[in-house]
């Protein structure tokens, strides 16, 4: 017997003399089970993190409680029209601003936008429009049809709130159009925009608002969205 065999034999004899209680064996088993559970939890968490990292590129969040169902789509940014935006104009209160068609003009007042449309007023005086009281930030719109030229209509956007509006857009049927921005001197707290675009088609259901689905947006000079809204009623 060589030295290695002698050492192994001595170790086996020493181990045989050691008595291990049942309580010790059970505690070892519990510890092993806990380690296995921690490994499974760590593996599961890694898989969830990896899945979320992949889905993040699609703008959606997966819910583990719903088996991977998409529950939170990312918000869609407003469309940007083709070509440069028209230059914004500043007008004095009450001054008539021509709108690019005969007998169509607009006036801006302290808290009122007044449109003179040819079908209603012809070449005479007078105008009608939109007024508001000071309040929360809002963007809205007025529409004026042209019965004699029913292929297009006038879209008048109105924004009131903080910030200085430099550009406005309107989306119709998946296409975006620039609106010419008009405002009073200084910081009046609002701006108006006007655009000639395809006329609205009458809704099949008389109860349905033809403006539904139109999207409006107002931007400052740095391109920040000051307000964006999709009309629903």
């Amino acid at each position: 017997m060589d030295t290695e065999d002698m050492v192994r034999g001595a170790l086996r004899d020493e181990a045989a003399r050691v008595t291990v209680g049942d309580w010790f064996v059970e505690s070892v088993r519990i510890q092993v089970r806990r380690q296995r559970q921690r490994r499974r939890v760590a593996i599961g968490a890694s898989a969830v993190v990896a899945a979320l990292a992949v889905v993040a590129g699609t703008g959606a969040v997966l819910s583990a409680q719903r088996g991977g169902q998409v529950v939170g789509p990312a918000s869609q940014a407003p469309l940007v029209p083709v070509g440069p935006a028209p230059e914004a104009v500043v007008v004095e209160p009450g001054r008539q601003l021509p709108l690019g068609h005969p007998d169509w003009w607009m006036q801006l007042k302290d808290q009122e936008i007044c449109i003179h449309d040819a079908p209603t007023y012809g070449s005479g005086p007078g105008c009608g429009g939109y007024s508001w009281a000071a309040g929360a930030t809002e963007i809205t719109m007025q529409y004026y049809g042209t019965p004699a030229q029913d292929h297009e209509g006038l879209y008048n956007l109105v924004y009131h709130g903080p910030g200085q509006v430099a550009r406005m857009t309107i989306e119709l049927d998946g296409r975006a159009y620039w609106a010419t921005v008009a405002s009073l001197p200084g910081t009046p707290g609002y701006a108006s925009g006007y655009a000639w675009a395809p006329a609205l088609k009458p809704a099949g259901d008389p109860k349905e608002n033809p403006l539904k689905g139109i999207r409006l947006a107002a931007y400052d000079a740095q391109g920040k969205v000051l307000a964006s809204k999709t009309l629903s009623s």
Side-chain angles (χ1 to χ4, degrees):
M1 178 181 297
D2 57 19
T3 304
E4 183 177 352
D5 290 337
M6 293 175 62
V7 172
R8 288 178 178 177
L11 291 175
R12 282 195 297 267
D13 293 341
E14 191 65 26
R17 299 190 188 98
V18 177
T19 301
V20 180
D22 293 338
W23 63 268
F24 180 79
V25 174
E26 183 60 25
S27 64
V28 172
R29 290 174 180 170
I30 292 173
Q31 183 66 19
V32 170
R33 284 198 298 268
R34 288 177 178 173
Q35 290 178 353
R36 289 175 178 174
Q37 289 174 352
R38 283 197 293 268
R39 284 198 296 270
R40 284 197 294 268
V41 171
I43 292 172
S46 299
V48 171
V49 171
L52 290 177
V54 172
V55 175
T58 68
V61 176
L62 295 184
S63 170
Q65 288 77 16
R66 299 192 179 187
Q69 181 182 359
V70 176
V71 297
S75 58
Q76 182 180 3
L79 295 178
V80 178
V82 177
E87 185 176 354
V89 297
V90 177
V91 296
E92 295 297 326
R95 174 193 159 195
Q96 294 183 7
L97 174 65
L99 298 179
H101 282 54
D103 296 322
W104 285 80
W105 47 264
M106 176 170 65
Q107 287 180 332
L108 303 183
K109 302 178 182 180
D110 182 28
Q111 289 187 333
E112 181 184 6
I113 296 169
C114 203
I115 301 288
H116 176 100
D117 63 290
T120 301
Y121 299 99
S123 58
C127 62
Y130 180 79
S131 62
W132 64 91
T137 298
E138 183 183 6
I139 185 168
T140 186
M141 190 196 79
Q142 305 175 92
Y143 173 76
Y144 297 84
T146 54
Q149 300 173 334
D150 57 2
H151 62 283
E152 67 177 355
L154 177 70
Y155 296 81
N156 175 221
L157 284 67
V158 183
Y159 166 82
H160 57 92
Q164 196 77 16
V165 178
R167 295 188 296 276
M168 285 181 163
T169 60
I170 178 171
E171 293 179 29
L172 305 169
D173 298 326
R175 183 176 177 182
Y177 302 85
W178 291 116
T180 300
V181 175
S183 62
L184 296 175
T187 54
Y190 83 93
S192 179
Y194 66 91
W196 292 95
L200 294 177
K201 302 297 187 295
D205 184 352
K207 298 180 181 179
E208 184 178 347
N209 192 325
L211 301 181
K212 184 177 181 180
I214 296 177
R215 187 169 188 180
L216 318 172
Y219 304 81
D220 64 12
Q222 288 70 43
K224 176 186 175 182
V225 178
L226 297 175
S228 177
K229 179 180 180 181
T230 300
L231 302 180
S232 59
S233 60

